[in-house]
Amino acid sequence: MRSRKSIYIAIGVLALMVLLFLLINISPSTDEVETTEQEVITEDSAPEVEENPLVSGKFTINQLKDSVSLIENQEKRANFAHHLSAYYANAGRLDSAAYFEGIAADGFPNEENYLKAGEEYFNAFSLATDADKAEEYRLKSEDYLIKAIALAPDRPEAKTLLAVLKLASDQGVAGSMLLHEVLLTNPDYAEALYNLGVYAMQSRDFSQAATNFERILDSDTTQVRANFYLAICYQELGRTEESISLFNRVKELDSSPEVQANVDAYLDDIK
């Protein structure tokens, strides 16, 4: 005979499935679902349930994982994993969001799911403060992005993210080559141009960097990042008036205090 505790867990899992599929927002409980900022979810790390989750409204990590495994249809299971990923992403738990996107991609493999898993692990990598965790997320992101590229070699998103991962490691040349490959089929793809520009700036090739940012602005003059970095390039190249003009444009485009203070600091240096 099943224990009362296991019955409660089963009821709670089913209730959670219904709630999420109806898109009802469930607030995370720090008592029931608590991991460190960059800790990947595992069954061993989940706490035990001591109360009826349907009554308390609290759900553990194990229940979330169990709720996914209960769904036999692969596509529906992937969709549910997407819901859980979005839930954790909204709570700022990027490692957990990546974990569930990985479940979706592994259980229902296609181009979009591989790309989404790669993106979420990329996000977790970008904000990881622990070097070992960062490397773990980077490798997982690369794995999913490579699988996405294999299914859709002409789409620029996965190749660009993979290139950025390589630029962030010791494979800068390979990353640069990937970005140029993207531009062969998508010559105006802003993310590829932007990252090539930043890479050129890191090499202090401000002339080449400026060319890439100018190409972005040829298509969209409102790109804040491109305006900002082009202004820096012009400053380094001695094109002072053009630099000042672009910095002032950035201030018009983005009124956030951080951007305003950053631009003012550059303008003070020029003056």
Side-chain angles (χ1 to χ4, degrees), residues 53 66 68 102 139 146 150 155 189 206:
D66 290 343
V68 176
L139 293 174
I146 288 171
R155 280 191 60 173
Y189 190 60
F206 293 105

Side-chain angles (χ1 to χ4, degrees), residues 141-159:
S141 180
E142 282 194 0
D143 179 61
Y144 285 117
L145 292 172
I146 288 171
K147 290 176 179 177
I149 292 169
L151 294 179
D154 292 332
R155 280 191 60 173
E157 300 96 325
K159 278 187 180 179

Side-chain angles (χ1 to χ4, degrees), residues 140-204:
K140 287 184 177 181
S141 180
E142 282 194 0
D143 179 61
Y144 285 117
L145 292 172
I146 288 171
K147 290 176 179 177
I149 292 169
L151 294 179
D154 292 332
R155 280 191 60 173
E157 300 96 325
K159 278 187 180 179
T160 300
L161 281 182
L162 181 60
V164 174
L165 289 172
K166 293 186 179 298
L167 292 176
S169 65
D170 58 353
Q171 305 175 66
V173 174
S176 176
M177 291 176 63
L178 263 179
L179 291 173
H180 283 291
E181 187 177 316
V182 169
L183 293 175
L184 287 177
T185 53
N186 301 271
D188 297 322
Y189 190 60
E191 284 301 312
L193 290 168
Y194 169 77
N195 283 290
L196 275 175
V198 172
Y199 182 62
M201 288 181 72
Q202 292 171 346
S203 304
R204 300 199 61 80

